Amino acid sequence: MKNNLKIFFLLLITCFFSGCEKDDICAEGTPTTPRLIIEFYSKDNSTVRKLVANLKIQGEGATTTLNFNQVDTIELPLKTNENFTNYSFNINSTASTNVNNTDLIRFNYSVNDIYVSRACGFKSFFNINLANGVVKENPSGDTFFWIENFEIVKSNVETEEDVHIKMYF
């Protein structure tokens, strides 16, 4: 009888602890969806990084802008629910002269969703199209591109540690 009672309590304790679950908290530092890393270079010397003054970037349909001043590297989020993201790049955005200029840039890519965990959900990786990964246009009435050229350095956007695109101006 004593042995049966011990076995019963052992089974009861085992059932009690088997129902416990790990907390559903996404740990700090868990990799998330990476942003696109862009570096700016001189159009005259493609090895020299160049600072951009008063750069204002706005996503298509967005009400807020990203403002940068005197930077040579920026990080931009890409849409995870579409295969493209449109941004307007406005240089010298606070200047009152006619040097203020906007280029419309479209990033074309494919999205790959990766399951991280129940707590963290999914993260997305992007693969920039090599044929038409970056397309630039001018808004109507604008005849001058301030971004002269671009180069896709790394088409797989999997981390924020690598430069993905170089832009020359």
Side-chain angles (χ1 to χ4, degrees):
M1 179 74 178
K2 234 180 187 183
N3 282 341
N4 288 341
L5 192 56
K6 284 182 185 179
I7 292 173
F8 174 74
F9 280 117
L10 184 61
L11 286 173
L12 184 64
I13 290 172
T14 303
C15 290
F16 177 75
F17 282 113
S18 68
C20 294
E21 290 185 24
K22 190 172 138 181
D23 287 340
D24 282 344
I25 298 173
C26 190
E28 183 81 23
T30 301
T32 58
T33 298
R35 292 170 289 186
L36 181 70
I37 308 297
I38 299 172
E39 280 185 344
F40 294 97
Y41 285 82
S42 169
K43 67 180 177 181
D44 300 322
N45 185 348
S46 63
T47 61
V48 176
R49 289 167 83 172
K50 189 172 178 182
L51 295 176
V52 181
N54 298 319
L55 177 62
K56 179 172 69 172
I57 300 177
Q58 185 169 11
E60 182 180 55
T63 57
T64 59
T65 61
L66 300 171
N67 297 301
F68 304 95
N69 191 25
Q70 300 300 321
V71 296
D72 64 0
T73 304
I74 60 172
E75 302 171 342
L76 294 178
L78 297 174
K79 292 181 180 179
T80 58
N81 58 346
E82 304 217 29
N83 287 329
F84 65 91
T85 301
N86 293 321
Y87 281 107
S88 66
F89 283 63
N90 186 317
I91 193 169
N92 295 327
S93 60
T94 61
S96 58
T97 65
N98 61 358
V99 188
N100 184 350
N101 194 327
T102 301
D103 289 353
L104 304 176
I105 307 293
R106 179 183 183 114
F107 299 101
N108 296 303
Y109 49 84
S110 57
V111 181
N112 298 311
D113 293 325
I114 308 286
Y115 180 75
V116 177
S117 68
R118 190 169 85 181
C120 299
F122 288 85
K123 68 178 178 179
S124 298
F125 292 142
F126 307 97
N127 189 355
I128 300 170
N129 299 346
L130 293 176
N132 65 343
V134 183
V135 179
K136 64 180 182 174
E137 295 179 14
N138 270 334
S140 61
D142 188 354
T143 59
F144 175 71
F145 284 110
W146 71 268
I147 299 172
E148 294 274 327
N149 202 1
F150 56 85
E151 174 187 356
I152 298 173
V153 178
K154 185 167 182 165
S155 61
N156 293 329
V157 181
E158 297 175 346
T159 70
E160 294 180 356
E161 296 170 8
D162 302 316
V163 174
H164 305 110
I165 295 176
K166 291 182 180 180
M167 289 188 175
Y168 302 92
F169 73 103

